[in-house]
Amino acid sequence: MPLPYVLLSAAVSLDGYLDDTGPERLLLSSPADFDRVDAVRASVDAILVGAGTIRADNPRLLVNSAERRAARTAAGRPEYPLKVTVTASGDLDPAARFWHTGGEKLVYTTDRGAERAARLLGRTADVVPLGPALDWRALLEHLHDERGVGRLMVEGGGTVHTQLLHHGLADELHLVLAPLFVGDPAAPRLFGPGGYQAGRLRLLDTRRIGDVVLMRYAPTAPGTGPLPVAADRHWLRTACELAALCPPSRTAFSVGAVVVAADGTELARGHSREGTDPVVHAEEAALAKTDPADPRLAGATVYSSLEPCARRASRPAPCAELILRAGVRRVVTAWREPDTFVAGADGTGVLRAGGAEVVVLPELEDLAKAPNAHLL
């Protein structure tokens, strides 16, 4: 199911703390960065914080600029983004500023917490139970499907950030580094212990904002099973963009492919009819650039804008078989092959019969089809 684009936003000290625990809270961001945050808030459909952040910080989470609010309404959007919080227990303070400023409010909780939250808040917010335990994927699916949220900004706290990263659901991290040392071991940290993605994150951008530095990162490591993670969407989008590089053809699809190791390292990429070979397929072109003895192939994922072929006339081995021969056991694609050239094509069936996991992301199907519009 499609999910919102999830952006985690936080400011930390040089020694990695969110803020101090003294009687006066230490503000890590600068006035210029607060204005940047206001601009990001104005750009998103919803803002989410954990219930612990509401209790500790009593935030309003508003778009403060009147000009930005006016631009939202002129574009047909609500003046303020939807405000969302998450609580397992339903223990919420109905007097908090979160509930009495801005636009609509939404609470996600457990079946047990829903009754308590509804009793405390009344008509102040919509309360959505997610079952016996909090389910982040179900939460994001509900935000996307039921509330139309395409971009979600998450402003904390550390537990929420940690859980979203653990589940591979964060598309981007905005990290502001402040030139301060907190030094208090009891102060909260941005992330808690646990299993994070393998490998290094991808640096998207750095920017100096007064005396702080903004760093934007994105995860790169593929998922490991049938459920897609944020990095899967990034790599499959890359494959779809490669398809647009294919020389046009009336007798073959335009396809792009990327081979990515488990730690997020790109091993190879290719596209249909690449170079001087008029019949080469995207997966074939990409795999030809890898070392067959590379041990990383066994844990790699192949991203292909179109389902790998199960039968072909121009080569003895179809791409589904080439992927299995290479030792790859996970494939992510945007679009199942239609009957345009091969009736009953079922590369997915071949891959699964060979022990490979196949994940389809239909939200990218239109992007994958775009270079093939003349064939459909």
Side-chain angles (χ1 to χ4, degrees):
M1 295 289 290
L3 302 177
Y5 188 93
V6 178
L7 186 160
L8 307 186
S9 178
V12 295
S13 66
L14 288 171
D15 48 344
Y17 292 100
L18 281 166
D19 52 38
D20 84 16
T21 54
E24 295 184 2
R25 185 182 174 202
L26 178 62
L27 295 178
L28 297 177
S29 291
S30 64
D33 187 56
F34 284 130
D35 185 65
R36 177 196 65 83
V37 170
D38 195 63
V40 177
R41 287 178 179 175
S43 73
V44 300
D45 303 305
I47 304 169
L48 183 148
V49 294
T53 297
I54 295 178
R55 288 190 287 268
D57 298 343
N58 197 19
R60 296 184 305 158
L61 296 181
L62 302 178
V63 176
N64 294 311
S65 165
E67 291 79 8
R68 290 174 182 138
R69 296 198 305 272
R72 285 179 60 90
T73 56
R77 306 171 73 191
E79 183 179 12
Y80 294 98
L82 174 69
K83 295 202 295 188
V84 184
T85 191
V86 183
T87 170
S89 66
D91 181 16
L92 298 163
D93 180 3
R97 295 187 298 181
F98 181 92
W99 311 111
H100 303 289
T101 56
E104 291 185 77
K105 291 87 181 176
L106 184 61
V107 178
Y108 287 105
T109 183
T110 60
D111 292 341
R112 177 175 55 86
E115 182 178 349
R116 184 177 189 183
R119 185 175 67 251
L120 289 169
L121 298 176
R123 297 184 178 180
T124 304
D126 291 335
V127 178
V128 178
L130 295 173
L134 291 174
D135 183 330
W136 279 102
R137 193 173 292 270
L139 183 157
L140 293 176
E141 287 178 355
H142 186 275
L143 273 178
H144 181 276
D145 296 345
E146 303 299 326
R147 303 305 296 253
V149 173
R151 288 182 64 86
L152 172 67
M153 182 181 186
V154 180
E155 295 198 35
T159 300
V160 170
H161 282 148
T162 298
Q163 291 175 350
L164 285 167
L165 278 175
H166 281 184
H167 290 292
L169 297 172
D171 293 272
E172 191 172 329
L173 171 62
H174 287 197
L175 184 63
V176 166
L177 184 62
L180 297 166
F181 291 98
V182 173
D184 184 346
R189 286 189 176 273
L190 175 57
F191 298 116
Y196 293 95
Q197 73 145 63
R200 303 168 75 91
L201 275 71
R202 185 173 75 261
L203 180 63
L204 303 175
D205 181 35
T206 60
R207 192 192 327 164
R208 177 177 175 177
I209 306 174
D211 66 347
V212 305
V213 177
L214 168 68
M215 295 166 286
R216 294 173 50 234
Y217 289 97
T220 60
T224 57
L227 294 177
V229 298
D232 288 328
R233 291 192 291 274
H234 160 73
W235 289 117
L236 185 56
R237 190 174 293 108
T238 300
C240 292
E241 291 165 354
L242 286 170
L245 302 178
C246 300
S249 171
R250 288 282 178 184
T251 58
F253 290 113
S254 293
V255 183
V258 188
V259 185
V260 182
D263 66 354
T265 301
E266 181 181 324
L267 300 180
R269 60 173 62 191
H271 60 79
S272 303
R273 302 177 293 284
E274 183 177 322
T276 59
D277 189 339
V279 296
V280 71
H281 285 196
E283 305 93 328
E284 178 186 18
L287 288 170
K289 298 169 188 171
T290 65
D291 179 356
D294 190 335
R296 294 175 296 177
L297 286 172
T301 296
V302 167
Y303 296 90
S304 180
S305 59
L306 176 66
E307 175 187 40
C309 62
R311 299 193 302 276
R312 62 188 295 191
S314 59
R315 292 283 196 271
C319 290
E321 186 176 327
L322 292 176
I323 289 169
L324 293 173
R325 286 182 188 176
V328 175
R329 290 298 179 266
R330 187 170 187 266
V331 176
V332 179
T333 184
W335 178 30
R336 296 293 299 271
E337 183 179 355
D339 291 341
T340 308
F341 301 117
V342 178
D346 186 19
T348 295
V350 173
L351 288 164
R352 287 176 174 161
E357 187 79 59
V358 180
V359 181
V360 181
L361 301 185
E363 62 265 36
L364 292 176
E365 182 175 322
D366 288 344
L367 185 60
K369 285 182 174 179
N372 299 287
H374 62 291
L375 298 173
L376 303 177

